[in-house]
Amino acid sequence: MTVQTHEVDEHLRVTPITISPSTMIEWTKPEPLSPLVRRCVESLEPGDYEIYDEKLRNFLEEAREVFVRSGVTGMLRAGDLIVAVYTANGDLANASAGTYLHCVTAVLPVKFVMHKYFTNPSVGVRDGDIFYANEARYGGIHNPDQMAFMPVFHEGELIAWVAALTHNPETGAIEPGGMPVMARSRHDEGMKLTPIKVGEDFRIRDDMLDMMANFTSRAPRMQAIDVRARITGADRLRRRIVELAADRGNDFVRGLLAKLIIEAEDATRRRISRWRDGVYRSSAFIDTIGPKSVLVRGTLAATKQGSEITFDFTGTSPENDGPYNCFPHIVAAHAAVTMYAFQFHDLPVSNGALAPFNWVVPEGTIFNANPDAAISSSPMVNSLTVSVVQQVFARMMFSSEDRDQVTGNICCQPCAPLVAGPNQYGVPLAEVDSAILNTDGHGARGDRDGVDAYGFAYGHATRAPDTEDTELEQQFLRLYFRLRADSAGAGTHRGGMGTETALCIWNVPFAVWTVYAMSSYLPVTLGVFGGYPAASAPGISVHGTDVLEKLRRGDADIPRDSVELATRKAISGDYVFEHSNRPVRPALEGDIIVATTGGGGGYGDPLARDPELVARDLRDQAVTEWTACHVHHVVVDPQTFAVDENATNAEREKAREQRRSRGKSWDEFHADWEQLKPPEPVLEYFGSWPEGVRETPLARF
Amino acid sequence: MKIQITENLDVDVEARQWCCHHCGTSLGSADTNYKQGCLVAAREPDEVWQPHVDEQVTFSYHRDWCRLVEFYCPGCQWLVEVEVLPPGHPITHDIELDLDQLTGPVEGAR
Amino acid sequence: MGATMDVDIGGTFTDCLVTLDDGRTAAIKTPTTKHRLAAGFMKTVQQAASQFEMSVEELLGRTDVVRYSTTVAMNTLIQRNGPKLALITTAGHEDVLRIARAASWTDSTLPKEIRNVAQIDKPEPLVERSLVVGARERVDCFGRVVQPLAEEHFLLQLRDLVDQGVRGFVVSLLFGYQNPVHERRIRELIESEYPEGLLGAMPIMLASEVLPKRWEYTRTNTTLLNAYLHQAMWEELAGMNDDLRARGYQRGIMMVHNTGGMAEVYQTAAVETFNGGPVAGLIGGAAIGRKLGHPNVIVGDMGGTSFDLGVVVDGSTRTYEFRPVIDQFWVDMTILQTRSIGAGGGSIAWVNTAVGNRLEVGPRGAGSLPGPAAYGLGGKEPTVTDADLVLGLIDPTGYFGGSLKLRPALAEEAIRKHIAEPLGISVVEAALRIRRIVDANMADVIARETLLRGYDPRKFVLMAFGGAGPTHCTGFAGHLGISKIYVLPTSPVFCAWGSSTMPVVHIYQLSRRLDLLEPVSQKLLADFESFNSAVAELRSQAERDLRAEGYDPVDAVLTLELDIKFGGQFHLHRASSPVLEITSDDDVKAVYERFAQEYAEVFSPLNVFPEGGVEIHNFVLRAQTAPPDWELPTHPLEGRDAAAALKGSRTVHWPDGEAQTPVYAQDLLRAGNAVPGPCIVEAPYTTVVVEPGYSLEVDQHLNFVITADRQGES
């Protein structure tokens, strides 16, 4: 194929946008097909796409493996990473992703470089260049997520881009850990690199490494190693693409990458077309913005028409002076976490799948904050996005052949306890308890319960370490680590259970700890079609305990779950009951920290649950007798777990009777309901009641 | 013709009415929120989640922060939908169908 | 040396290779008798005896050794018909099997299924939740007893379990591998409460004995699987033993292990027999590769339902599974790495309408019943075998030794209806695409197994076996640029043959955390005793077992491997240790340097990170006897002309168009014969397809050597 220079230029073009944090989302749409690329796609032979799509996936898996095994951050193990290949003008063609977040955000820095620097002689893009970025204003979720990306040249032509991204828990912010709860503006959040060139000729520049190490001087060595790991991963992928181009030609690579995006877009549109046109709405609430327990709302109206969907987040609470804010592309990234795992799980991970989506994210809300806002806890505030997106899709998809993709919410309330200080070997550590972080409940389904302790809603297929694994590395002893009874949302089918643990500080005189969590006062993990939300996460800790003596004595009453711990108080000490999001504080050996993960949302009326399943859950300690009786109205023998059918029918009839007498007509209900309002302190960050609009200007310094 | 829209809701296309999927009771015009045709009750969190301690957090949710707003079919008392809302918060119009499109064929719909 | 008998009981066929002391061999293949595996085995012995024109008693009387790999473990798990077991854990940790490190739904599923998050399910544990009890006790990470065992309470729990009818106990307590005092006490309590005879023998297995390694999920899984499989395997082996003894066999039975070695039956844990067959194939591939001068071998077995793959690098098969899974359960055993994908003759081709009418093959298969459409046994969906038949590659009258007549019209119909018409292409075009895609799928899994480990598949030779392996080998080798393929005379019974090349191997492992290099200070390990006592402990077990099998431990080769990681990193790297014992700082340095060097080779020298410390976590000792001596039979070369073996010709549809293609008979081809592609060679249990661009030669061992006409063509 003969190629004209102007055709190549056109093919490398990125749609110009006004660059700002609130507009970067426009680049999530695929670039229009240039005539050159169109010809490349048409010249693919039958079967090529199928075979080389698979081959590309192998390249991605290989690069990911190299990346994961050569890095040091624990987030690689949790799967907070992506290895991706892009077209020459920055559209994501396919990726191996531990979390789908970065399928959206890692696109934008590539397009930014092509847009701004490709033809800029002071920067340029040349074979062997290594670019780097971690500034959410140019893509990215928050600055712990750092990304290395490289152009792929073959025979002098730019044919693709590759990238590797993972989370580093140190950014040089005002607190250690990368997500400073006390941050008040972007200036408190540490290193934020706009897309820059950190290497040339396939070599990293030492001056750039030194600069990054200087920014992250709490853990400079980790920074240096993981920068290399990202580049090693990206470069492995680059080499494979170059080999492919050498084997099949540049046009083939262009055609293949474009075809993946075209196929994904076509398939996404076909799927959307078979859902019912209409407007679907959901509101969800969280009860913290980090340093404070306050009410915050996320609102979504999804308008589905033909093969297009518009997501409108009008009604979402105003931005605040903490780190619980974000930008629109970050909202889209959190929507993608659901979309690539449910609605479009069988399509290539490419931004073709985002083409049918339009986004309305009003400025001044927590989802479209001022460019100077602190945003490092953006994943926490996007619990709201994960919740409402699941809710609207459930309603949109039920009446189609995609009904098997409808579930109650997967737990969307992250819980991350962090224990810091010298561990039992004297090595200073600040580690998240990944066992708790990664054992969330899965949503209930139309035909069966959700999966207990399935993984983590932001990454799905994540792994939790064994108790021995964490106790060998960290300075605590788990009194228990178990599935948590009653944690799942009840329903005809229940959500998957979450877990609970009690960490007893052990083998060290003291430690420092904190817990990032939510949903103590109201739930964010919702059910569908009458299924209930997941249970509350209580913040419990016990200080100055006698647990060491009790263990030594072999006392029979050492608690084996949180309810037992909190109600019997067999361990003596000062019991603290508070919101589960807990700021940094010290603890002594023997102090106990309780942490719980959320269950999944329920599906359908709990009164319609098969009584035998309730009996099974009771036997397996998934629900308590209280819940069997008060929520499911099932009569079960607590010894034999035999269901008394007649008594159950009678109880359920009584429950329906109660509904009849409790239920009021719409107007009657509103007469009372509209008199109610949460107390003022709860509404401090909500905006006007009930509109959620900012009432006083926000000062940020 | 009735089309099932959720686990608990049908739309009677000719009559343009919401109906209970389980007993067929009409829940009002499909142009409006089906919740208007339901019996509505706001329940305290403690009715659904057992409080175990009398403290700032109880293992249940907090009544200052939320209620469970339940929507029952007036015919069979089926729990058609449940919403978690702060006390007094407006109720969500969660499904607003394009009724004209509903009568047309949808590729692949059941 | 007398006769040897190598048996591989697979899911579909029982393969047996008998080699007499005079060098004569008999290769027998019979359908596996699922209800009683020994019956099928004895049938093969009978057939072998009659081939040699002797009685079964005479043959067994001359037999020195029976080497045995079995799928009994796999079958027991598939049918879930093991005994009702109880699990005893530390109190507060009873949900270990259900938490299962969170996403255990990924342990045995394909990447595509993993993405379908709405439809995931975790594996159902082998023990009901109500039969898991927590003993009140606790040991900490240093192996110190934190809380003594509450014995009275345990006895109450025990009575309750027995009342519920349990038939065995698995005891797996936190840090029991470091300090098994409570696990042992629990066994004593069970034994004294329920002496043998009272309820019949109930196995009591301690995790600290079955696998004394850190991390309770995998340790518990391994122990539990062992207990679960124990009974079925013993019944099976006792049955076989009885049958053999009754017909005059005097010697022992060696079991093939998934570690790549063998051991006497009574030295074998049931879990070690899982996947023995493919591992034997891998070892056989390595052995024959050595004889033929090929250190890098890909062993590919394409049968009816799956494609099993093993990789030999530099003559070594010692690549272990990174995440070994038995059935659906993650175990922490040292298992040789093999891969299996759903790509076989029975794999079903289908059009995926969700992604733009994309043609896909597998992973679903038609099995042996109903089987491919052409079997005429009710299968309606098109399979790979149907495509091969439509293309003229296989003879409908000669399939499986002629015992199964294929019906081309049914194959055509299935392909027309399900593939050709939806895609708007001809039946032949559809069949060609099915073949191309299944070949590419196999090529992909090979690519993954080589590239992901840093090797170039073009530098390997391929050994193709299984019913469909020789039919597809030029296809998938072509995708990879592999230019040399072997189809061996032992191909039909290759896994059985592989076990004849296996040494006796025992692997012993334990966990002990030692700082090889301290973080920051970079001080070298000073506590030599901890290192040496760990090795000594493993060594004494090895010597005891070898003696019991009649070997002098002095003749065995002991090698030490260590699981090591950099401080703060998650992934352990299995490194070979240059020393068995540490007596100086130089020894410590040598251990570190070997690790660092191996690590840098596999990943990148950029990522060597000793400043964070270097930790040893596991010790793995391998004891191996000398492998058996064997020779490849050699035949005089008889010239290139293969005309005498030509059976005829038929029309075959190749990717570039149809051609009248010569067909040869395997048993008539002589050493030295050479035929250019395209051609077809028919053998009793398979059809060798040599595509255009390849040619075939018969070497002096009667191996078929298929080479690409242009080196590295793809």
Side-chain angles (χ1 to χ4, degrees):
Chain A
M1 194 186 299
T2 48
V3 180
Q4 307 296 319
T5 319
H6 74 272
E7 281 193 318
V8 174
D9 289 348
E10 186 182 353
H11 142 72
L12 296 175
R13 225 171 75 97
V14 172
T15 307
I17 64 167
T18 318
I19 301 218
S20 79
S22 74
T23 52
M24 294 298 284
I25 192 171
E26 293 169 30
W27 272 342
T28 59
K29 295 236 189 209
E31 299 299 326
L33 279 189
S34 69
L36 169 63
V37 168
R38 208 180 295 274
R39 284 209 308 277
C40 293
V41 171
E42 281 160 8
S43 69
L44 292 176
E45 287 167 29
D48 271 351
Y49 165 57
E50 286 86 341
I51 288 162
Y52 284 89
D53 166 28
E54 203 61 39
K55 207 161 202 164
L56 201 56
R57 215 171 305 176
N58 279 344
F59 295 163
L60 289 162
E61 291 307 320
E62 177 192 357
R64 175 177 175 167
E65 193 81 9
V66 167
F67 180 25
V68 168
R69 294 209 199 174
S70 47
V72 286
T73 168
M75 298 309 267
L76 278 169
R77 161 199 199 174
D80 189 351
L81 71 111
I82 188 172
V83 177
V85 56
Y86 306 83
T87 61
N89 54 352
D91 278 322
L92 177 67
N94 209 347
S96 177
T99 164
Y100 298 120
L101 287 170
H102 308 308
C103 301
V104 176
T105 53
V107 168
L108 311 177
V110 180
K111 288 199 179 179
F112 178 78
V113 166
M114 286 305 290
H115 172 76
K116 187 117 188 255
Y117 300 142
F118 180 61
T119 54
N120 178 334
S122 76
V123 186
V125 174
R126 283 176 285 274
D127 197 11
D129 283 352
I130 303 165
F131 286 87
Y132 208 79
N134 79 323
E135 164 62 289
R137 303 210 296 181
Y138 298 86
I141 304 297
H142 52 172
N143 60 330
D145 291 333
Q146 304 182 20
M147 165 186 178
F149 51 117
M150 298 177 75
V152 182
F153 280 87
H154 181 248
E155 290 174 347
E157 293 181 346
L158 174 61
I159 53 172
W161 283 84
V162 292
L165 179 156
T166 189
H167 180 117
N168 259 75
E170 183 47 54
T171 55
I174 52 167
E175 289 170 29
M179 287 168 61
V181 173
M182 299 312 290
R184 288 291 166 270
S185 80
R186 66 185 310 269
H187 308 293
D188 294 336
E189 294 180 318
M191 179 177 81
K192 294 190 170 189
L193 304 176
T194 57
I196 53 167
K197 201 184 281 188
V198 297
E200 286 159 335
D201 257 340
F202 307 104
R203 274 203 310 260
I204 317 170
R205 286 174 51 154
D206 280 344
D207 55 343
M208 291 291 167
L209 277 182
D210 289 346
M211 174 195 70
M212 292 189 224
N214 184 50
F215 268 120
T216 59
S217 56
R218 287 192 195 98
R221 181 74 196 175
M222 177 191 267
Q223 177 70 30
I225 295 282
D226 283 341
V227 171
R228 289 192 172 99
R230 289 179 187 92
I231 294 168
T232 306
D235 189 54
R236 177 67 64 98
L237 181 57
R238 185 195 62 82
R239 279 191 274 154
R240 294 290 176 230
I241 307 288
V242 169
E243 282 173 20
L244 181 61
D247 187 22
R248 300 295 310 263
N250 287 353
D251 286 345
F252 179 84
V253 173
R254 288 188 189 109
L256 178 68
L257 297 179
K259 174 97 170 161
L260 284 161
I261 296 165
I262 295 168
E263 286 293 334
E265 174 169 351
D266 288 353
T268 308
R269 288 189 183 278
R270 271 197 304 278
R271 185 151 309 162
I272 292 173
S273 295
R274 65 194 190 201
W275 304 337
R276 305 282 178 196
D277 282 0
V279 187
Y280 303 86
R281 298 185 187 84
S282 175
S283 284
F285 306 86
I286 55 174
D287 53 5
T288 178
I289 55 156
K292 274 187 180 163
S293 297
V294 288
L295 185 69
V296 176
R297 179 174 67 194
T299 297
L300 171 60
T303 303
K304 186 261 153 184
Q305 192 170 26
S307 70
E308 300 247 329
I309 293 176
T310 299
F311 275 157
D312 182 346
F313 289 90
T314 304
T316 296
S317 290
E319 63 177 298
N320 59 62
D321 57 0
Y324 274 50
N325 296 298
C326 72
F327 304 130
H329 62 266
I330 302 176
V331 176
H334 285 83
V337 162
T338 298
M339 281 156 33
Y340 288 116
F342 287 84
Q343 292 76 29
F344 311 115
H345 66 87
D346 50 347
L347 309 182
V349 180
S350 98
N351 61 322
L354 299 175
F357 288 86
N358 306 301
W359 306 85
V360 179
V361 190
E363 281 188 22
T365 62
I366 46 172
F367 288 162
N368 192 353
N370 185 283
D372 281 338
I375 50 93
S376 47
S377 286
S378 67
M380 301 297 284
V381 76
N382 274 287
S383 293
L384 294 168
T385 308
V386 177
S387 181
V388 294
V389 166
Q390 293 186 72
Q391 288 290 313
V392 297
F393 274 125
R395 287 161 176 79
M396 203 185 291
M397 291 165 57
F398 182 91
S399 187
S400 77
E401 67 190 76
D402 301 313
R403 191 177 293 181
D404 67 357
Q405 292 293 317
V406 174
T407 69
N409 279 9
I410 279 191
C411 166
C412 32
Q413 55 201 70
C415 176
L418 183 136
V419 178
N423 70 359
Q424 60 265 52
Y425 315 105
V427 179
L429 276 189
E431 273 291 340
V432 164
D433 178 7
S434 314
I436 280 294
L437 184 66
N438 292 303
T439 47
D440 289 341
H442 176 257
R445 297 166 276 195
D447 60 349
R448 62 200 193 279
D449 294 344
V451 177
D452 300 331
Y454 95 106
F456 177 43
Y458 293 57
H460 302 299
T462 56
R463 301 312 297 243
D466 282 357
T467 291
E468 287 177 358
D469 186 356
T470 38
E471 288 189 8
L472 276 165
E473 303 285 336
Q474 289 181 264
Q475 55 275 47
F476 55 70
L477 192 82
R478 289 188 199 281
L479 294 187
Y480 52 82
F481 176 43
R482 61 187 306 150
L483 295 172
R484 184 176 158 220
D486 284 347
S487 59
T492 309
H493 300 286
R494 65 165 169 84
M497 280 185 272
T499 59
E500 59 184 341
T501 193
L503 309 177
C504 176
I505 301 299
W506 185 253
N507 272 323
V508 291
F510 71 93
V512 168
W513 64 279
T514 178
V515 180
Y516 306 103
M518 59 178 59
S519 287
S520 293
Y521 299 145
L522 90 172
V524 69
T525 305
L526 307 175
V528 284
F529 310 147
Y532 283 151
S536 161
I540 303 170
S541 52
V542 195
H543 306 266
T545 75
D546 63 346
V547 70
L548 305 189
E549 297 91 90
K550 285 183 75 69
L551 286 164
R552 214 167 291 142
R553 282 198 303 267
D555 286 0
D557 58 1
I558 291 164
R560 299 306 177 192
D561 65 58
S562 308
V563 171
E564 188 185 342
L565 177 137
T567 54
R568 296 205 193 141
K569 294 191 175 171
I571 295 169
S572 71
D574 299 329
Y575 284 72
V576 177
F577 295 89
E578 60 192 327
H579 191 283
S580 57
N581 193 71
R582 287 162 277 177
V584 176
R585 61 182 82 168
L588 300 176
E589 185 171 29
D591 283 6
I592 294 166
I593 305 149
V594 173
T596 59
T597 71
Y603 184 109
D605 186 350
L607 215 50
R609 183 164 176 79
D610 179 351
E612 293 297 338
L613 291 178
V614 177
R616 182 205 66 187
D617 278 353
L618 195 57
R619 188 197 65 198
D620 293 348
Q621 302 172 33
V623 297
T624 57
E625 280 181 66
W626 189 94
T627 299
C629 169
H630 290 83
V631 178
H632 296 292
H633 300 268
V634 169
V635 182
V636 190
D637 181 318
Q639 253 67 57
T640 65
F641 304 106
V643 174
D644 183 334
E645 237 176 275
N646 291 332
T648 298
N649 288 340
E651 280 301 314
R652 287 188 161 181
E653 191 44 50
K654 226 189 290 172
R656 277 186 282 271
E657 195 56 49
Q658 285 163 359
R659 285 178 176 181
R660 212 175 353 245
S661 60
R662 188 194 299 137
K664 297 175 187 157
S665 74
W666 179 261
D667 293 338
E668 215 182 330
F669 172 81
H670 274 84
D672 297 338
W673 181 249
E674 281 167 2
Q675 308 304 312
L676 302 177
K677 187 181 173 188
E680 282 309 323
V682 170
L683 294 176
E684 186 184 347
Y685 282 77
F686 184 83
S688 60
W689 178 263
E691 301 81 12
V693 175
R694 164 158 306 291
E695 292 168 306
T696 49
L698 178 67
R700 203 180 262 121
F701 301 101
Chain B
M1 184 183 65
K2 280 185 181 171
I3 295 176
Q4 191 179 1
I5 301 298
T6 79
E7 188 70 24
N8 306 317
L9 290 169
D10 292 345
V11 165
D12 182 327
V13 177
E14 288 79 25
R16 289 194 163 228
Q17 291 276 312
W18 287 111
C19 304
C20 172
H21 176 70
H22 307 286
C23 72
T25 299
S26 169
L27 302 174
S29 165
D31 292 313
T32 62
N33 192 347
Y34 63 87
K35 292 173 182 172
Q36 297 188 22
C38 292
L39 293 173
V40 191
R43 301 182 69 193
E44 301 272 337
D46 290 1
E47 294 177 57
V48 170
W49 293 282
Q50 183 183 14
H52 290 282
V53 289
D54 185 16
E55 301 279 357
Q56 176 66 21
V57 290
T58 63
F59 286 84
S60 178
Y61 290 108
H62 203 300
R63 68 182 308 275
D64 282 355
W65 292 67
C66 68
R67 298 287 194 282
L68 285 162
V69 181
E70 300 193 335
F71 304 92
Y72 311 122
C73 166
C76 66
Q77 287 76 51
W78 204 282
L79 180 57
V80 172
E81 193 49 88
V82 57
E83 266 198 84
V84 183
L85 294 171
H89 187 282
I91 284 164
T92 308
H93 188 179
D94 59 340
I95 305 176
E96 192 180 329
L97 294 169
D98 178 343
L99 291 174
D100 296 328
Q101 185 261 359
L102 205 55
T103 53
V106 169
E107 189 197 334
R110 286 183 197 184
Chain C
M1 184 80 181
T4 60
M5 205 172 275
D6 295 289
V7 189
D8 174 36
I9 302 196
T12 322
F13 292 108
T14 295
D15 298 346
C16 179
L17 180 72
V18 181
T19 309
L20 292 187
D21 31 10
D22 60 12
R24 281 185 294 160
T25 61
I28 313 290
K29 219 171 166 69
T30 65
T32 294
T33 45
K34 289 220 165 112
H35 57 286
R36 191 166 180 276
L37 300 180
F41 165 62
M42 287 310 289
K43 210 165 143 195
T44 62
V45 176
Q46 206 142 22
Q47 286 187 22
S50 67
Q51 265 193 28
F52 296 130
E53 293 175 336
M54 55 175 82
S55 70
V56 170
E57 285 77 6
E58 195 183 336
L59 175 59
L60 287 174
R62 289 168 67 167
T63 301
D64 265 357
V65 65
V66 172
R67 290 175 289 231
Y68 189 72
S69 59
T70 174
T71 54
V72 64
M74 200 178 290
N75 290 341
T76 305
L77 282 165
I78 288 170
Q79 294 163 23
R80 288 290 189 272
N81 60 3
K84 187 171 184 175
L85 297 172
L87 171 64
I88 297 145
T89 69
T90 299
H93 300 267
E94 294 89 341
D95 285 327
V96 59
L97 299 177
R98 281 167 196 272
I99 293 175
R101 294 187 187 158
S104 57
W105 44 276
T106 63
D107 286 342
S108 56
T109 35
L110 300 166
K112 281 177 194 168
E113 296 165 345
I114 289 172
R115 280 194 61 199
N116 186 1
V117 175
Q119 293 302 321
I120 59 169
D121 285 296
K122 279 188 170 183
E124 189 62 30
L126 295 173
V127 178
E128 294 168 30
R129 176 64 181 82
S130 55
L131 297 180
V132 182
V133 300
R136 290 183 187 154
E137 65 84 39
R138 191 63 147 93
V139 172
D140 78 359
C141 64
F142 296 109
R144 297 180 304 213
V145 172
V146 173
Q147 180 186 5
L149 176 68
E151 298 190 0
E152 289 305 313
H153 181 249
F154 174 70
L155 289 173
L156 295 175
Q157 294 174 312
L158 176 62
R159 255 160 245 155
D160 185 47
L161 289 173
V162 172
D163 288 347
Q164 293 188 62
V166 305
R167 303 301 304 156
F169 301 91
V170 170
V171 189
S172 182
L173 307 178
L174 288 179
F175 296 105
Y177 71 93
Q178 289 213 15
N179 182 353
V181 58
H182 291 160
E183 290 192 2
R184 288 181 186 161
R185 181 61 189 147
I186 283 173
R187 176 164 58 196
E188 283 170 16
L189 290 170
I190 300 173
E191 282 172 348
S192 65
E193 283 298 290
Y194 299 100
E196 203 170 326
L198 198 61
L199 295 169
M202 291 197 285
I204 307 167
M205 291 198 185
L206 308 188
S208 56
E209 291 178 356
V210 172
L211 186 76
K213 269 176 96 173
R214 62 174 204 167
W215 296 6
E216 71 272 12
Y217 177 62
T218 37
R219 186 170 72 245
T220 306
N221 271 346
T222 309
T223 313
L224 189 56
L225 281 162
N226 205 39
Y228 195 77
L229 301 173
H230 181 79
Q231 195 181 347
M233 200 183 89
W234 278 100
E235 279 171 7
E236 160 61 21
L237 289 171
M240 193 172 86
N241 199 39
D242 291 351
D243 288 1
L244 285 171
R245 303 266 174 245
R247 308 296 289 272
Y249 182 64
Q250 311 284 337
R251 307 295 188 90
I253 300 173
M254 301 294 281
M255 294 296 299
V256 172
H257 287 192
N258 46 30
T259 54
M262 296 183 304
E264 265 287 357
V265 160
Y266 60 84
Q267 304 268 20
T268 296
V271 275
E272 292 175 310
T273 68
F274 191 88
N275 206 39
V279 165
L282 175 62
I283 298 289
I288 205 159
R290 274 193 295 274
K291 293 278 183 204
L292 297 172
H294 296 300
N296 294 332
V297 181
I298 291 163
V299 182
D301 177 358
M302 184 184 184
T305 52
S306 68
F307 175 66
D308 295 325
L309 160 80
V311 176
V312 183
V313 178
D314 282 340
S316 164
T317 53
R318 283 169 50 191
T319 306
Y320 303 117
E321 291 286 355
F322 183 62
R323 182 184 292 181
V325 169
I326 289 186
D327 189 73
Q328 306 171 69
F329 306 104
W330 190 354
V331 293
D332 194 10
M333 295 164 59
T334 297
I335 295 179
L336 283 195
Q337 186 163 327
T338 58
R339 274 295 163 268
S340 186
I341 59 164
S347 292
I348 290 170
W350 55 292
V351 174
N352 187 345
T353 50
V355 272
N357 279 349
R358 175 185 170 135
L359 177 60
E360 308 213 17
V361 180
R364 215 160 49 83
S368 49
L369 246 183
Y375 282 14
L377 300 173
K380 296 285 176 221
E381 291 175 285
T383 65
V384 171
T385 299
D386 292 313
D388 289 340
L389 185 62
V390 163
L391 296 174
L393 295 170
I394 47 184
D395 173 9
T397 61
Y399 194 67
F400 204 72
S403 62
L404 188 57
K405 298 280 176 267
L406 299 182
R407 296 163 65 182
L410 295 177
E412 261 189 67
E413 181 50 30
I415 293 176
R416 180 188 326 281
K417 184 165 167 221
H418 292 278
I419 311 291
E421 282 174 1
L423 294 183
I425 55 177
S426 71
V427 170
V428 166
E429 174 61 22
L432 281 170
R433 280 202 212 171
I434 292 170
R435 191 172 154 84
R436 187 165 175 220
I437 285 167
V438 75
D439 289 351
N441 288 351
M442 288 184 283
D444 277 324
V445 69
I446 294 173
R448 221 169 294 155
E449 290 304 296
T450 47
L451 292 173
L452 285 189
R453 286 151 59 182
Y455 307 113
D456 182 346
R458 288 171 295 199
K459 298 191 172 134
F460 286 71
V461 299
L462 171 71
M463 292 186 187
F465 54 100
T471 315
H472 283 264
C473 58
T474 46
F476 59 85
H479 281 285
L480 294 158
I482 292 174
S483 52
K484 192 172 238 179
I485 305 165
Y486 282 88
V487 176
L488 310 173
T490 48
S491 277
V493 294
F494 192 75
C495 290
W497 179 81
S499 61
S500 73
T501 67
M502 290 175 107
V504 169
V505 172
H506 291 285
I507 289 183
Y508 304 89
Q509 35 196 347
L510 62 77
S511 287
R512 188 164 293 176
R513 186 192 186 284
L514 296 175
D515 279 338
L516 191 60
L517 274 182
E518 274 184 21
V520 191
S521 75
Q522 302 288 286
K523 265 193 279 181
L524 292 170
L525 175 73
D527 178 11
F528 299 167
E529 174 52 25
S530 288
F531 185 102
N532 293 337
S533 67
V535 180
E537 196 175 308
L538 298 174
R539 197 170 179 157
S540 74
Q541 291 173 33
E543 288 172 354
R544 186 193 62 209
D545 289 349
L546 287 166
R547 263 190 220 102
E549 285 174 333
Y551 294 95
D552 185 343
V554 176
D555 297 334
V557 179
L558 299 181
T559 46
L560 179 65
E561 294 175 319
L562 301 166
D563 288 338
I564 305 184
K565 71 183 181 83
F566 290 112
Q569 248 181 0
F570 170 58
H571 291 288
L572 292 170
H573 181 75
R574 174 76 53 91
S576 57
S577 169
V579 293
L580 284 176
E581 198 184 6
I582 287 182
T583 54
S584 67
D585 284 357
D586 284 344
D587 289 342
V588 179
K589 267 187 217 147
V591 170
Y592 167 68
E593 275 158 16
R594 175 73 66 87
F595 158 70
Q597 178 202 337
E598 290 185 7
Y599 183 89
E601 278 168 16
V602 178
F603 301 110
S604 159
L606 284 175
N607 303 107
V608 172
F609 181 34
E611 289 84 347
V614 178
E615 303 157 10
I616 299 177
H617 283 259
N618 299 316
F619 290 73
V620 182
L621 186 78
R622 188 184 153 99
Q624 176 176 335
T625 63
D629 257 351
W630 58 280
E631 285 301 328
L632 281 171
T634 306
H635 301 265
L637 298 177
E638 294 183 23
R640 297 177 68 81
D641 184 5
L646 188 65
K647 277 169 81 173
S649 71
R650 61 173 174 259
T651 305
V652 173
H653 300 279
W654 300 107
D656 294 332
E658 63 173 64
Q660 200 61 26
T661 304
V663 179
Y664 295 87
Q666 180 214 23
D667 53 349
L668 299 177
L669 283 171
R670 294 285 171 264
N673 285 179
V675 282
C679 72
I680 283 168
V681 182
E682 291 182 345
Y685 298 114
T686 188
T687 300
V688 185
V689 170
V690 183
E691 293 190 4
Y694 290 85
S695 42
L696 180 152
E697 276 187 45
V698 186
D699 74 5
Q700 57 179 344
H701 310 298
L702 295 181
N703 297 319
F704 292 174
V705 187
I706 303 170
T707 35
D709 296 342
R710 272 196 300 129
Q711 196 77 9
E713 187 182 63
S714 61

